[in-house]
Amino acid sequence: MSSTTFTAEAGQNILLVARASAGAHNLDALQQLRDELVKQVGSGGKVDFEQVDRIDEGAAALASAYYDRIIASPVWPHVVEHNNRVLGKLLLALKPSGILEIHELIVDGSEAAELSPVTRTRDELLQQLKFAGFVDAQIAGAEVVSEPALKALAADYWKLGDVAHFAANACERIFEAVSVAKKPAYNVGAAAALTFGKRSKNSTSDSDGKADSAKKAWLINV
């Protein structure tokens, strides 16, 4: 398990997304991270938290184009695989050019380890981000998950039967990856007007025989 230090700028609005509950091992770590980020953004910024499952189910009402940065699954264990539905909602919640940072487990790109709940590769994760509408997606770092950590995941979260067999088979094949992507510089879903010039003098006249010299504007979703 890697130890990541998160920093924020004064005045930023930040959203933390994770799977947590009163009995979750990561609850204290999430609270500590939120408290630290609150200090960094100051009175001009804000740090919110939302459950990833509520976002997936549509129960969370995220503000549109509000957050400068979203950090998903920031603390161990990074057992959530962020699907396209969740990624799409996070995209809408970011300001134009806002940053999404995801911490997620991936496999090494070869055949998935036997019994492994982790099946997504590095390339598949990046493709998922691009498909959701993000740009400049990249893997900022990846660290091999140790065998003891794999055993803990298998026993405490995935509830696998033969923990030792799984850990031995998956060792050196599962990574803790940090991926970073950006929302485009425009607001997704905004309307942009395309205005075309005057029609030529030789253009077809309207039903009254008068040339239609009015400018035309088309609306497209961007």
Side-chain angles (χ1 to χ4, degrees), residues 114-197:
E114 183 181 354
L115 303 177
S116 175
V118 182
T119 59
R120 189 144 71 179
T121 66
R122 172 194 300 254
D123 290 343
E124 287 170 344
L125 174 56
L126 294 178
Q127 288 172 4
Q128 191 79 18
L129 287 166
K130 293 175 183 176
F131 182 76
F134 289 93
V135 297
D136 299 336
Q138 60 180 309
I139 300 295
E143 181 177 317
V144 173
V145 179
S146 68
E147 189 168 346
L150 287 173
K151 288 181 178 179
L153 288 171
D156 299 334
Y157 295 94
W158 296 327
K159 309 299 182 182
L160 300 182
D162 194 338
V163 170
H165 175 73
F166 163 76
N169 184 260
C171 190
E172 304 292 330
R173 300 178 66 183
I174 295 181
F175 294 77
E176 177 186 343
V178 181
S179 57
V180 178
K182 184 191 300 184
K183 181 175 180 173
Y186 50 81
N187 196 27
V188 175
L194 296 182
T195 303
F196 297 90

Side-chain angles (χ1 to χ4, degrees), residues 56-137:
D56 191 20
E57 296 163 1
L62 299 179
S64 178
Y66 180 75
Y67 297 102
D68 299 281
R69 185 178 172 198
I70 296 177
I71 309 173
S73 297
V75 299
W76 184 265
H78 313 294
V79 293
V80 176
E81 184 174 283
H82 304 84
N83 60 36
N84 195 60
R85 183 167 51 252
V86 170
L87 293 176
K89 292 179 179 179
L90 296 183
L91 179 75
L92 292 176
L94 280 169
K95 295 178 180 179
S97 299
I99 300 297
L100 172 67
E101 179 179 326
I102 289 184
H103 297 251
E104 189 172 309
L105 299 180
I106 59 174
V107 294
D108 62 2
S110 61
E111 184 179 353
E114 183 181 354
L115 303 177
S116 175
V118 182
T119 59
R120 189 144 71 179
T121 66
R122 172 194 300 254
D123 290 343
E124 287 170 344
L125 174 56
L126 294 178
Q127 288 172 4
Q128 191 79 18
L129 287 166
K130 293 175 183 176
F131 182 76
F134 289 93
V135 297
D136 299 336

